[in-house]
Amino acid sequence: VAGAGDIPGKDIVQNGIRDIWVSWHTSTEPWEMHKDWLFFHPSHLGLPIRSKSKLQLKTQTETFEQNWVSLSDIAWVLDPESTYSHMHPDRPPREWETMKSSGKFLGKKLLAK
């Protein structure tokens, strides 16, 4: 019989959901087809890097840097239309209309396609 401290999900119920960080193998060099890393570097996507760590795969001798980003920031990049009001609840809805027609946003939208 599990003790009260062993109940799955107890920490989330007591402390709430915390941000989830994710990382992927990438490079600061711009991504293009047939590269051996996945997609763009977080900085190319305008994602703030929350933490960095070093990783060495068992099959390789060299280490590479892992850049950890917030899953909520990725959701913002992937679907800003539906996440803007959640990311910026204190801002007026008309601000989104101005934002989505800005050159910077249109450039990111082009990169995402």
Side-chain angles (χ1 to χ4, degrees):
V1 176
D6 300 322
I7 298 172
K10 177 183 175 186
D11 183 56
I12 291 173
V13 171
Q14 290 180 334
N15 301 314
I17 297 174
R18 293 181 295 275
D19 197 10
I20 297 171
W21 289 357
V22 295
S23 181
W24 59 90
H25 184 63
T26 189
S27 172
T28 54
E29 180 184 333
W31 182 85
E32 58 187 54
M33 295 293 289
H34 309 294
K35 293 290 185 179
D36 67 347
W37 60 86
L38 179 63
F39 207 54
F40 295 96
H41 190 273
S43 63
H44 296 153
L45 297 171
L47 296 170
I49 296 170
R50 306 294 180 166
S51 183
K52 293 183 179 195
S53 62
K54 295 283 185 188
L55 179 68
Q56 182 177 3
L57 301 175
K58 291 180 180 181
T59 58
Q60 297 179 355
T61 57
E62 63 189 63
T63 61
F64 65 92
E65 186 174 81
Q66 274 190 293
N67 298 292
W68 294 92
V69 299
S70 165
L71 187 57
S72 63
D73 290 337
I74 291 173
W76 161 247
V77 169
L78 296 178
D79 189 7
E81 184 85 39
S82 65
T83 58
Y84 186 83
S85 63
H86 299 287
M87 294 294 292
H88 306 286
D90 55 330
R91 296 189 181 158
R94 70 182 184 292
E95 188 175 285
W96 166 244
E97 296 304 319
T98 304
M99 170 81 74
K100 72 179 182 180
S101 62
S102 73
K104 185 176 181 181
F105 178 76
L106 293 173
K108 288 182 179 182
K109 190 174 178 181
L110 181 65
L111 274 177
K113 291 183 178 187

